[in-house]
Amino acid sequence: MEGANVTDLELVRAAVAAREDAYAPYSHFAVGAALLTADGTVYPGCNIENAAYTPSNCAERTAFFQAVREGRRAFTAIAIVGGPAGEPVSGRCAPCGVCRQVMMEFCDPASFRVLLGTGGDAFEVHTLEELLPWGFGPADLGHGSAGEGSCCS
Ligand code: THU
């Protein structure tokens, strides 16, 4: 999905669609995410589990890693929806600590918005700063923002 003016609701719906691809045979908990770049491109993600458990990847990181692999570094929002597989979303799925830390690497915590779908077209809006107060990020190591084109390899 592309377009300079992706709405919050479109982003939440993109996360709901991405959830259809979840591979969650162990937890039976299906998660979808949709990550929005500063120029309006949407990167979908789903959770991908593994028989060895620890290699499993959350929906949020699937979206981030695909986007970064394609050279994207500037993000404005992510929508997340999750719940028991095979059932419609009926409550919030908050991102895990590891995913919050990945967001911290690439996003400005004060302005990056995290949309948590709560069922149907309903969603909550938070900032990364709310979800990860006092986060440790690139600036703590003397690095500038990881924004588009500004980072080294
Ligand atoms: N999961 C996500 O993909 N994102 C979240 O925000 C929370 C948890 C996944 C990981 C695992 O595949 C399943 O949900 C149960 O924890």
Side-chain angles (χ1 to χ4, degrees):
M1 185 193 282
E2 277 183 72
N5 297 308
V6 176
T7 67
D8 286 354
L9 181 55
E10 285 171 335
L11 200 63
V12 170
R13 287 178 175 172
V16 170
R19 184 172 176 251
E20 294 296 316
D21 293 323
Y23 176 74
Y26 307 108
S27 73
H28 305 287
F29 191 88
V31 184
L35 176 64
L36 183 62
T37 68
D39 69 357
T41 303
V42 175
Y43 282 87
C46 61
N47 56 333
I48 304 169
E49 297 186 347
N50 189 282
Y53 288 18
T54 52
S56 300
N57 206 54
C58 290
E60 297 90 324
R61 279 176 288 141
T62 301
F64 266 95
F65 294 162
Q66 177 69 28
V68 173
R69 194 210 67 79
E70 292 189 15
R72 317 314 288 268
R73 299 259 179 94
F75 306 105
T76 58
I78 190 169
I80 304 161
V81 294
E87 296 177 22
V89 172
S90 63
R92 104 161 53 86
C93 173
C96 79
V98 172
C99 288
R100 294 178 201 205
Q101 186 63 37
V102 168
M103 293 176 201
M104 187 72 199
E105 185 67 26
F106 294 103
C107 308
D108 169 27
S111 62
F112 184 71
R113 297 162 71 245
V114 181
L115 315 179
L116 302 180
T118 54
D121 282 344
F123 58 92
E124 303 171 352
V125 182
H126 301 277
T127 62
L128 177 57
E129 195 169 50
E130 275 177 70
L131 301 180
L132 189 65
W134 294 86
F136 186 87
D140 293 292
L141 294 177
H143 286 250
S145 155
E148 210 135 40
S150 66
C151 196
C152 54
S153 55

